[in-house]
Protein backbone atom coordinates (compact mmCIF):
# COMPACT_ATOMS: atom_id res chain seq x y z
CA UNK A 1 0.00 0.00 0.00
CA UNK A 2 1.11 3.54 -0.69
CA UNK A 3 -0.33 6.79 0.58
CA UNK A 4 2.11 9.03 -1.26
CA UNK A 5 1.81 9.69 -4.97
CA UNK A 6 4.47 11.33 -7.12
CA UNK A 7 3.08 13.44 -9.94
CA UNK A 8 5.44 14.75 -12.60
CA UNK A 9 7.31 13.40 -15.62
CA UNK A 10 10.26 15.62 -14.69
CA UNK A 11 11.11 13.64 -11.53
CA UNK A 12 14.54 12.14 -12.21
CA UNK A 13 15.14 8.45 -11.68
CA UNK A 14 17.14 9.21 -8.54
CA UNK A 15 14.36 11.40 -7.13
CA UNK A 16 11.74 8.77 -7.90
CA UNK A 17 13.82 6.01 -6.30
CA UNK A 18 14.33 8.13 -3.19
CA UNK A 19 10.61 8.76 -2.72
CA UNK A 20 9.77 5.15 -3.52
CA UNK A 21 12.25 3.89 -0.93
CA UNK A 22 11.14 6.37 1.74
CA UNK A 23 7.37 6.20 1.28
CA UNK A 24 6.70 3.39 -1.20
CA UNK A 25 5.38 6.24 -3.32
CA UNK A 26 3.38 5.54 -6.46
CA UNK A 27 3.93 7.52 -9.66
CA UNK A 28 1.97 9.16 -12.43
CA UNK A 29 3.57 11.36 -15.07
CA UNK A 30 0.88 14.01 -15.11
CA UNK A 31 -2.09 15.32 -13.15
CA UNK A 32 -4.28 14.19 -16.07
CA UNK A 33 -3.16 10.58 -15.43
CA UNK A 34 -4.76 10.48 -11.98
CA UNK A 35 -8.00 9.04 -13.35
CA UNK A 36 -6.05 6.08 -14.73
CA UNK A 37 -5.28 4.99 -11.12
CA UNK A 38 -7.51 2.46 -9.39
CA UNK A 39 -10.25 3.81 -7.13
CA UNK A 40 -8.37 2.26 -4.18
CA UNK A 41 -5.04 3.91 -5.07
CA UNK A 42 -6.76 7.28 -5.32
CA UNK A 43 -8.66 6.72 -2.08
CA UNK A 44 -5.44 5.90 -0.20
CA UNK A 45 -3.45 8.93 -1.41
CA UNK A 46 -2.85 11.26 1.53
CA UNK A 47 0.11 13.20 0.15
CA UNK A 48 1.29 14.18 -3.31
CA UNK A 49 4.91 14.90 -4.22
CA UNK A 50 4.46 17.29 -7.12
CA UNK A 51 7.03 18.37 -9.70
CA UNK A 52 6.49 20.38 -12.85
CA UNK A 53 4.54 23.30 -14.20
CA UNK A 54 1.30 21.63 -15.38
CA UNK A 55 -1.81 22.97 -13.68
CA UNK A 56 -2.89 21.17 -10.50
CA UNK A 57 -6.45 22.36 -9.97
CA UNK A 58 -9.62 21.60 -8.03
CA UNK A 59 -10.81 18.79 -10.33
CA UNK A 60 -7.57 16.84 -9.82
CA UNK A 61 -7.71 17.40 -6.05
CA UNK A 62 -11.26 16.02 -6.02
CA UNK A 63 -10.00 12.75 -7.51
CA UNK A 64 -8.02 12.22 -4.28
CA UNK A 65 -10.61 12.35 -1.47
CA UNK A 66 -8.10 11.83 1.40
CA UNK A 67 -5.49 14.23 0.07
CA UNK A 68 -4.01 16.35 2.87
CA UNK A 69 -0.72 17.60 1.39
CA UNK A 70 0.68 18.74 -1.93
CA UNK A 71 4.46 19.00 -1.48
CA UNK A 72 5.76 21.03 -4.40
CA UNK A 73 9.27 20.54 -5.79
CA UNK A 74 10.19 24.19 -6.35
CA UNK A 75 9.66 27.53 -4.68
CA UNK A 76 7.18 28.75 -7.31
CA UNK A 77 3.81 27.10 -6.80
CA UNK A 78 1.79 29.07 -9.37
CA UNK A 79 0.78 25.80 -11.08
CA UNK A 80 -1.12 24.73 -7.94
CA UNK A 81 -4.54 26.23 -7.20
CA UNK A 82 -3.71 27.05 -3.57
CA UNK A 83 -7.13 28.61 -2.95
CA UNK A 84 -8.85 25.39 -4.05
CA UNK A 85 -6.44 23.39 -1.89
CA UNK A 86 -7.13 25.55 1.19
CA UNK A 87 -10.88 25.22 0.68
CA UNK A 88 -10.46 21.44 0.79
CA UNK A 89 -8.20 21.51 3.84
CA UNK A 90 -5.21 20.46 1.74
CA UNK A 91 -1.87 21.90 2.85
CA UNK A 92 0.71 23.01 0.26
CA UNK A 93 4.47 23.21 0.80
CA UNK A 94 7.30 24.46 -1.44
CA UNK A 95 11.11 24.53 -1.40
CA UNK A 96 12.23 28.11 -0.71
CA UNK A 97 15.77 29.40 -0.04
CA UNK A 98 17.74 26.27 -0.98
CA UNK A 99 17.72 27.39 -4.63
CA UNK A 100 18.36 31.13 -4.20
CA UNK A 101 22.08 30.97 -5.02
CA UNK A 102 21.69 28.98 -8.22
CA UNK A 103 18.87 31.07 -9.61
CA UNK A 104 20.72 34.29 -8.79
CA UNK A 105 23.90 32.89 -10.36
CA UNK A 106 22.04 32.13 -13.60
CA UNK A 107 20.51 35.62 -13.69
CA UNK A 108 23.97 37.16 -13.41
CA UNK A 109 25.38 34.73 -15.98
CA UNK A 110 22.67 35.68 -18.50
CA UNK A 111 23.25 39.38 -17.87
CA UNK A 112 27.00 39.02 -18.46
CA UNK A 113 26.54 36.70 -21.46
CA UNK A 114 24.15 39.21 -23.03
CA UNK A 115 26.41 42.25 -22.48
CA UNK A 116 29.61 40.52 -23.50
CA UNK A 117 28.05 38.80 -26.52
CA UNK A 118 29.34 35.45 -25.26
CA UNK A 119 27.09 33.26 -27.43
CA UNK A 120 28.35 34.93 -30.62
CA UNK A 121 31.89 34.87 -29.20
CA UNK A 122 31.74 31.13 -28.65
CA UNK A 123 30.35 30.58 -32.17
CA UNK A 124 33.06 32.83 -33.63
CA UNK A 125 35.85 30.77 -32.06
CA UNK A 126 34.28 27.38 -32.88
CA UNK A 127 33.51 28.20 -36.50
CA UNK A 128 37.00 29.46 -37.28
CA UNK A 129 35.60 32.94 -38.01
CA UNK A 130 38.01 34.45 -35.48
CA UNK A 131 40.98 33.46 -37.65
CA UNK A 132 39.13 33.99 -40.94
CA UNK A 133 37.31 37.26 -40.26
CA UNK A 134 38.90 38.73 -37.13
CA UNK A 135 37.41 39.83 -33.83
CA UNK A 136 33.78 40.60 -33.08
CA UNK A 137 32.50 44.16 -32.71
CA UNK A 138 33.15 45.63 -29.26
CA UNK A 139 30.65 44.58 -26.59
CA UNK A 140 29.16 46.42 -23.69
CA UNK A 141 30.44 47.02 -20.16
CA UNK A 142 28.34 45.48 -17.39
CA UNK A 143 30.22 46.52 -14.24
CA UNK A 144 29.29 49.93 -12.93
CA UNK A 145 25.96 50.15 -14.77
CA UNK A 146 22.47 50.65 -13.28
CA UNK A 147 20.30 47.63 -12.59
CA UNK A 148 16.67 47.41 -11.50
CA UNK A 149 15.35 44.35 -9.68
CA UNK A 150 11.60 43.75 -10.09
CA UNK A 151 10.62 41.88 -6.92
CA UNK A 152 13.18 42.14 -4.11
CA UNK A 153 12.25 38.82 -2.53
CA UNK A 154 14.58 35.96 -1.57
CA UNK A 155 16.02 35.47 -5.06
CA UNK A 156 15.81 39.15 -6.05
CA UNK A 157 17.94 40.11 -3.06
CA UNK A 158 20.59 37.48 -3.90
CA UNK A 159 20.75 38.88 -7.43
CA UNK A 160 21.09 42.44 -6.09
CA UNK A 161 23.87 41.38 -3.68
CA UNK A 162 25.79 39.78 -6.54
CA UNK A 163 25.37 42.75 -8.87
CA UNK A 164 26.40 45.16 -6.11
CA UNK A 165 29.72 43.30 -6.13
CA UNK A 166 29.92 44.22 -9.83
CA UNK A 167 29.82 47.87 -8.68
CA UNK A 168 26.34 48.31 -10.11
CA UNK A 169 24.00 50.99 -8.87
CA UNK A 170 21.08 48.94 -7.45
CA UNK A 171 17.47 50.06 -7.92
CA UNK A 172 14.45 47.90 -7.10
CA UNK A 173 10.68 47.75 -7.10
CA UNK A 174 8.65 45.76 -4.57
CA UNK A 175 5.21 46.33 -3.09
CA UNK A 176 6.88 48.04 -0.15
CA UNK A 177 10.26 49.59 0.58
CA UNK A 178 12.81 47.24 2.17
CA UNK A 179 15.77 47.68 4.45
CA UNK A 180 18.69 47.78 2.03
CA UNK A 181 22.27 49.07 1.98
CA UNK A 182 21.37 52.31 0.21
CA UNK A 183 19.62 50.85 -2.83
CA UNK A 184 17.02 53.05 -4.56
CA UNK A 185 13.34 52.12 -4.14
CA UNK A 186 10.76 52.73 -6.89
CA UNK A 187 7.09 52.40 -6.10
CA UNK A 188 6.24 51.42 -9.67
CA UNK A 189 7.89 49.31 -12.32
CA UNK A 190 7.82 51.98 -15.06
CA UNK A 191 9.77 54.47 -12.96
CA UNK A 192 12.22 51.67 -12.13
CA UNK A 193 12.67 50.81 -15.82
CA UNK A 194 13.22 54.46 -16.69
CA UNK A 195 16.08 54.71 -14.16
CA UNK A 196 18.15 51.67 -15.22
CA UNK A 197 20.06 49.90 -18.02
CA UNK A 198 19.17 46.34 -16.93
CA UNK A 199 15.83 45.13 -15.61
CA UNK A 200 15.95 41.79 -13.77
CA UNK A 201 12.58 40.20 -13.07
CA UNK A 202 12.39 38.03 -9.92
CA UNK A 203 8.66 38.14 -9.14
CA UNK A 204 6.38 35.26 -8.20
CA UNK A 205 4.29 33.96 -11.08
CA UNK A 206 0.52 33.54 -11.13
CA UNK A 207 -2.56 35.65 -11.80
CA UNK A 208 -1.51 38.60 -9.67
CA UNK A 209 1.70 39.29 -11.57
CA UNK A 210 0.44 38.47 -15.07
CA UNK A 211 2.07 40.87 -17.56
CA UNK A 212 3.57 42.90 -14.68
CA UNK A 213 6.31 44.16 -16.99
CA UNK A 214 4.41 45.44 -20.01
CA UNK A 215 4.66 47.75 -23.01
CA UNK A 216 5.10 50.88 -20.92
CA UNK A 217 7.94 49.50 -18.79
CA UNK A 218 9.76 48.15 -21.87
CA UNK A 219 9.47 51.53 -23.61
CA UNK A 220 10.77 53.22 -20.44
CA UNK A 221 13.77 50.85 -20.34
CA UNK A 222 14.65 52.08 -23.81
CA UNK A 223 16.89 51.09 -26.72
CA UNK A 224 19.95 50.35 -24.56
CA UNK A 225 17.92 48.42 -22.04
CA UNK A 226 18.25 44.69 -21.38
CA UNK A 227 15.65 42.49 -19.65
CA UNK A 228 16.61 39.41 -17.65
CA UNK A 229 13.80 37.07 -16.60
CA UNK A 230 14.33 34.19 -14.20
CA UNK A 231 10.83 34.31 -12.67
CA UNK A 232 8.03 32.97 -14.88
CA UNK A 233 7.09 33.55 -18.52
CA UNK A 234 3.84 35.08 -17.31
CA UNK A 235 5.39 38.03 -15.44
CA UNK A 236 6.38 39.85 -18.64
CA UNK A 237 3.84 40.58 -21.38
CA UNK A 238 5.46 38.20 -23.87
CA UNK A 239 3.87 39.71 -26.99
CA UNK A 240 5.17 43.12 -25.93
CA UNK A 241 8.62 41.66 -25.16
CA UNK A 242 8.91 39.99 -28.56
CA UNK A 243 7.87 43.20 -30.30
CA UNK A 244 10.36 45.21 -28.22
CA UNK A 245 13.19 42.79 -29.05
CA UNK A 246 12.35 42.64 -32.76
CA UNK A 247 11.92 46.36 -33.25
CA UNK A 248 14.79 47.73 -31.12
CA UNK A 249 12.55 49.21 -28.42
CA UNK A 250 15.00 47.45 -26.07
CA UNK A 251 18.52 46.16 -26.78
CA UNK A 252 18.19 42.56 -25.70
CA UNK A 253 17.21 39.96 -23.14
CA UNK A 254 18.37 36.97 -21.14
CA UNK A 255 15.48 34.58 -20.60
CA UNK A 256 15.22 31.38 -18.57
CA UNK A 257 11.40 31.27 -18.59
CA UNK A 258 8.72 31.55 -21.27
CA UNK A 259 5.05 30.99 -21.92
CA UNK A 260 4.20 27.48 -23.16
CA UNK A 261 7.49 25.88 -22.10
CA UNK A 262 9.13 23.95 -23.66
CA UNK A 263 7.30 24.76 -26.93
CA UNK A 264 8.24 28.42 -26.81
CA UNK A 265 7.28 31.01 -29.40
CA UNK A 266 9.64 30.35 -32.37
CA UNK A 267 10.13 34.12 -32.79
CA UNK A 268 12.56 33.95 -29.85
CA UNK A 269 14.80 31.55 -31.76
CA UNK A 270 15.14 33.98 -34.66
CA UNK A 271 16.52 36.77 -32.46
CA UNK A 272 20.26 37.41 -32.18
CA UNK A 273 19.97 39.82 -29.24
CA UNK A 274 18.83 37.22 -26.69
CA UNK A 275 20.43 34.59 -24.47
CA UNK A 276 17.95 31.72 -24.08
CA UNK A 277 18.00 29.09 -21.31
CA UNK A 278 15.71 26.05 -20.85
CA UNK A 279 14.22 27.01 -17.46
CA UNK A 280 17.24 25.78 -15.55
CA UNK A 281 17.66 28.34 -12.78
CA UNK A 282 17.80 25.75 -10.01
CA UNK A 283 19.16 22.93 -12.14
CA UNK A 284 22.40 21.95 -10.44
CA UNK A 285 22.95 18.55 -8.89
CA UNK A 286 23.54 20.09 -5.48
CA UNK A 287 20.46 22.30 -5.41
CA UNK A 288 18.11 19.74 -6.93
CA UNK A 289 19.23 17.33 -4.19
CA UNK A 290 18.47 19.94 -1.52
CA UNK A 291 15.07 20.64 -3.07
CA UNK A 292 14.25 16.92 -3.16
CA UNK A 293 15.28 16.55 0.49
CA UNK A 294 13.10 19.48 1.56
CA UNK A 295 10.15 18.03 -0.35
CA UNK A 296 10.81 14.68 1.31
CA UNK A 297 11.06 16.27 4.76
CA UNK A 298 7.75 18.08 4.32
CA UNK A 299 6.03 14.82 3.38
CA UNK A 300 7.64 12.99 6.31
CA UNK A 301 6.53 15.75 8.71
CA UNK A 302 2.98 15.63 7.36
CA UNK A 303 2.73 11.84 7.64
CA UNK A 304 4.10 11.96 11.21
CA UNK A 305 1.69 14.75 12.20
CA UNK A 306 4.53 17.21 12.81
CA UNK A 307 4.71 20.87 11.80
CA UNK A 308 5.41 21.38 8.09
CA UNK A 309 8.83 22.86 7.36
CA UNK A 310 7.94 25.27 4.57
CA UNK A 311 4.17 25.71 4.37
CA UNK A 312 2.51 27.89 1.74
CA UNK A 313 -1.05 27.88 3.15
P1 LIG B 1 9.71 35.52 -2.84
O1 LIG B 1 10.78 35.62 -1.82
O2 LIG B 1 8.32 35.24 -2.39
O3 LIG B 1 9.74 36.87 -3.68
C1 LIG B 1 8.78 37.11 -4.62
C2 LIG B 1 8.73 38.55 -5.07
O4 LIG B 1 7.50 38.68 -5.81
C3 LIG B 1 8.70 39.54 -3.91
O5 LIG B 1 9.53 40.61 -4.20
C4 LIG B 1 7.25 39.96 -3.87
O6 LIG B 1 7.05 41.32 -3.62
C5 LIG B 1 6.80 39.80 -5.30
N1 LIG B 1 5.35 39.58 -5.33
C6 LIG B 1 4.66 38.58 -4.76
N2 LIG B 1 3.33 38.73 -5.00
C7 LIG B 1 3.21 39.88 -5.70
C8 LIG B 1 2.11 40.59 -6.22
N3 LIG B 1 0.86 40.15 -6.06
N4 LIG B 1 2.34 41.74 -6.89
C9 LIG B 1 3.61 42.19 -7.04
N5 LIG B 1 4.70 41.56 -6.57
C10 LIG B 1 4.50 40.43 -5.90
O7 LIG B 1 10.02 34.40 -3.91
P2 LIG B 1 11.44 33.85 -4.37
O8 LIG B 1 11.81 32.69 -3.55
O9 LIG B 1 12.38 34.99 -4.50
O10 LIG B 1 11.05 33.30 -5.82
C11 LIG B 1 10.57 34.17 -6.82
C12 LIG B 1 10.12 33.40 -8.04
O11 LIG B 1 11.24 32.98 -8.81
C13 LIG B 1 9.37 32.10 -7.77
O12 LIG B 1 8.03 32.32 -7.39
C14 LIG B 1 9.49 31.39 -9.08
O13 LIG B 1 8.41 31.73 -9.94
C15 LIG B 1 10.78 31.94 -9.67
N6 LIG B 1 11.82 30.90 -9.73
C16 LIG B 1 12.34 30.56 -10.94
C17 LIG B 1 13.31 29.59 -11.03
C18 LIG B 1 13.93 29.22 -12.34
O14 LIG B 1 14.36 28.09 -12.50
N7 LIG B 1 14.02 30.14 -13.29
C19 LIG B 1 13.73 28.91 -9.88
C20 LIG B 1 13.18 29.28 -8.66
C21 LIG B 1 12.23 30.28 -8.60
P3 LIG B 1 7.29 42.00 -2.21
O15 LIG B 1 8.78 42.21 -2.15
O16 LIG B 1 6.53 43.26 -2.33
O17 LIG B 1 6.79 41.04 -1.16
Amino acid sequence: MTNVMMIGASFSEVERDRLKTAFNAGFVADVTDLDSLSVQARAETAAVAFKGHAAFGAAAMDLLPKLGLIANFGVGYDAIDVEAASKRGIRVTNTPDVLNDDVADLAVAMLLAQCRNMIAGDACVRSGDWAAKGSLPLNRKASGSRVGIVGLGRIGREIADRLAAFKMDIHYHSRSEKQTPGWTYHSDVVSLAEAVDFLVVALVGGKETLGYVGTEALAALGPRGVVINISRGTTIDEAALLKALESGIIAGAGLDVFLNEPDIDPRFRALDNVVLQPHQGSATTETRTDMALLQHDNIAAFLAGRLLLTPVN
Side-chain angles (χ1 to χ4, degrees), residues 75 151-155 174-175 178 204 208 230 256 279 281:
V75 66
L152 200 72
R154 289 173 290 244
I155 294 171
S174 267
R175 289 168 298 179
K178 319 267 183 200
V204 299
E208 289 175 0
I230 53 79
D256 186 43
H279 196 155

Side-chain angles (χ1 to χ4, degrees), residues 57-117:
M61 295 172 198
D62 289 339
L63 289 172
L64 307 170
K66 284 213 187 107
L67 186 63
L69 176 73
I70 301 170
N72 188 47
F73 188 113
V75 66
Y77 48 84
D78 44 306
I80 301 168
D81 186 339
V82 176
E83 203 182 315
S86 298
K87 267 191 202 146
R88 287 159 179 75
I90 300 168
R91 305 293 305 279
V92 177
T93 58
N94 65 345
T95 61
D97 289 317
V98 293
L99 40 62
N100 295 353
D101 283 337
D102 275 347
V103 183
D105 289 353
L106 191 75
V108 173
M110 289 195 296
L111 190 153
L112 294 175
Q114 214 289 334
C115 291
R116 302 309 306 270
N117 213 4

Side-chain angles (χ1 to χ4, degrees), residues 22-41:
F23 304 116
N24 192 26
F27 173 78
V28 289
D30 194 83
V31 171
T32 53
D33 298 327
L34 283 172
D35 28 0
S36 69
L37 292 171
S38 69
V39 173
Q40 192 191 345

Side-chain angles (χ1 to χ4, degrees), residues 117 135-139:
N117 213 4
S135 297
L136 291 175
L138 296 180
N139 16 108

Side-chain angles (χ1 to χ4, degrees), residues 152 157 161 172 176-183 185:
L152 200 72
R157 194 171 276 267
D161 282 340
Y172 71 97
S176 58
E177 194 164 355
K178 319 267 183 200
Q179 288 247 316
T180 66
W183 303 341
Y185 174 68

